[in-house]
Amino acid sequence: MRRELLEKQWYLEEEAAHIKGWDFSHIHGRYEEEEDLPWDYEGVIQSYRKDEMKILDLDTGGGEFLLSLGHPYKNLSATEAYPPNVELCKHKLLPLGIDFKEAVATKYLPYPNETFDMVINRHGGFNEKEIYRVLKPNGLFITQQVGAENDRGLVELLYSSLPDSPAPDNYLSITEQKFIDTGFMIMKGQEAFRPIKFYDVGALVWFARIIEWEFPDFSVDKHLKELWKAQEILENKGRIEASIHRYMMVARKD
C-alpha cells in the first residue's frame, strides 16, 4: 500500500511539472540550492548599476529577476526564446514600457551596435561577439552561469547509462578566455560547487522533468527502479544530496 501511494505521488509530480518563467515555488521547502554561493549576483549588478544605464537581460525567463532590480522601466530591455516565456513576457513586460524582443541569445541580438551600458544574463545562453557588439565602450557584461558539472550526482543516481553534460565546456576559465579573445577585460570571476538537497522524491521527479536538458527523456516509468533507490537514500539519510556548479563573471568591453 505504501509503495503504491509513493508511486502515485511521483506520477502526480510528473504531471504537474510545468512552469511559467522560472518559478520553482511548487517545490519550495522540499529542496534547497544556491543557499550559500560566495557571491550575490544581484548585489554584484547593483554595485555597478545606475538609473541612467541602458540594461539588457538575456534569457530573462518571465522577467522576474529583471523586475526585482528596481531599474527604470524605460531603460530596460530583455530577450527570451522559450515560447511559453515569450508569451508571458509580452503580457508582463511590454505593458510596463520594457523593450522586450523574442530572440535566441546564442545567435543574434536584435539591437543596434553600442546600445547598452550593461548586459546581464543569469543561467541563460549568450554569444560573446554579439554582447561585444551591442555594448557601448566600457560597457559591462555580468553573468551567473550553471557549470558543466551541475547536478551530475543526481543524473548519476537516476540514469543507468549516464547522458552527456548539456554544456561540457561551461567552466569559468573557458568562458573568461572566450571573452578575452573577443576584446573584453575580466573584472571579476568566481566559481563554486555547493550542495543541492531534496527532502522528498516527488520534488526530485518534478525537478528532473523541468530541467529536461540535464535529465533527457526522464519519466517515472523509465526510471522507477532508480527512484526507489533514491527513496532508500532519503529514508537512510533524511535527504538526497548532490552538488551544483555555478560561476559568476564580470567583463568590461575595452
Side-chain angles (χ1 to χ4, degrees):
M1 187 66 175
R2 174 178 171 276
R3 187 180 184 93
E4 292 177 2
L5 287 173
L6 282 171
E7 289 184 3
K8 181 179 180 181
Q9 180 197 6
W10 300 344
Y11 282 109
L12 288 172
E13 292 292 351
E14 182 178 52
E15 292 175 9
H18 306 282
I19 58 172
K20 290 184 177 180
W22 198 242
D23 179 7
F24 276 48
S25 59
H26 180 76
I27 56 173
H28 179 71
R30 300 163 63 194
Y31 96 118
E32 296 177 14
E33 70 170 327
E34 287 193 10
E35 298 293 327
D36 60 347
L37 289 176
W39 62 82
D40 174 4
Y41 176 61
E42 180 177 354
V44 173
I45 292 171
Q46 296 290 12
S47 71
Y48 293 101
R49 187 190 68 81
K50 297 178 181 177
D51 282 355
E52 62 270 21
M53 286 180 165
K54 296 286 187 181
I55 296 178
L56 169 64
D57 185 21
L58 304 179
D59 285 356
T60 193
E64 304 90 348
F65 177 78
L66 185 63
L67 293 174
S68 76
L69 293 176
H71 198 71
Y73 294 156
K74 66 179 182 179
N75 289 335
L76 288 178
S77 298
T79 67
E80 176 59 44
Y82 181 53
N85 287 347
V86 168
E87 294 307 310
L88 179 62
C89 288
K90 286 178 179 178
H91 289 94
K92 188 175 180 181
L93 302 184
L94 289 177
L96 298 175
I98 294 172
D99 175 27
F100 171 75
K101 289 182 170 62
E102 181 177 1
V104 179
T106 55
K107 295 181 178 179
Y108 173 73
L109 300 178
Y111 298 98
N113 295 352
E114 300 185 358
T115 299
F116 299 102
D117 300 284
M118 182 186 293
V119 176
I120 63 175
N121 174 290
R122 181 178 182 270
H123 301 180
F126 57 81
N127 180 320
E128 60 273 11
K129 293 180 176 62
E130 278 295 283
I131 292 169
Y132 188 90
R133 182 182 66 79
V134 302
L135 275 174
K136 298 175 183 177
N138 296 312
L140 296 171
F141 175 58
I142 303 176
T143 188
Q144 178 177 297
Q145 285 293 312
V146 176
E149 298 178 43
N150 191 65
D151 295 337
R152 294 305 282 175
L154 297 174
V155 177
E156 290 174 3
L157 175 63
L158 294 178
Y159 288 78
S160 56
S161 179
L162 191 65
D164 293 335
S165 167
D169 295 329
N170 212 9
Y171 291 88
L172 175 62
S173 60
I174 295 175
T175 301
E176 285 181 332
Q177 192 58 54
K178 287 180 180 179
F179 276 79
I180 290 169
D181 293 345
T182 304
F184 285 86
M185 176 181 287
I186 305 303
M187 308 292 289
K188 291 182 180 180
Q190 287 181 271
E191 194 159 23
F193 295 85
R194 291 292 187 268
I196 180 170
K197 303 174 185 178
F198 288 84
Y199 299 106
D200 73 72
V201 174
L204 178 59
V205 168
W206 187 92
F207 183 89
R209 290 286 287 184
I210 292 295
I211 315 296
E212 57 189 358
W213 51 94
E214 288 187 349
F215 302 87
D217 204 26
F218 173 83
S219 72
V220 174
D221 280 338
K222 292 177 182 176
H223 298 86
L224 192 57
K225 179 182 176 181
E226 290 81 8
L227 288 171
W228 276 109
K229 181 180 176 182
Q231 181 66 29
E232 183 179 350
I233 292 171
L234 177 70
E235 291 175 4
N236 288 334
K237 296 185 176 180
R239 64 186 181 277
I240 301 159
E241 186 170 337
S243 292
I244 63 169
H245 178 194
R246 299 284 187 272
Y247 66 85
M248 179 276 296
M249 186 187 75
V250 180
R252 188 185 74 199
K253 177 179 177 178
D254 276 355

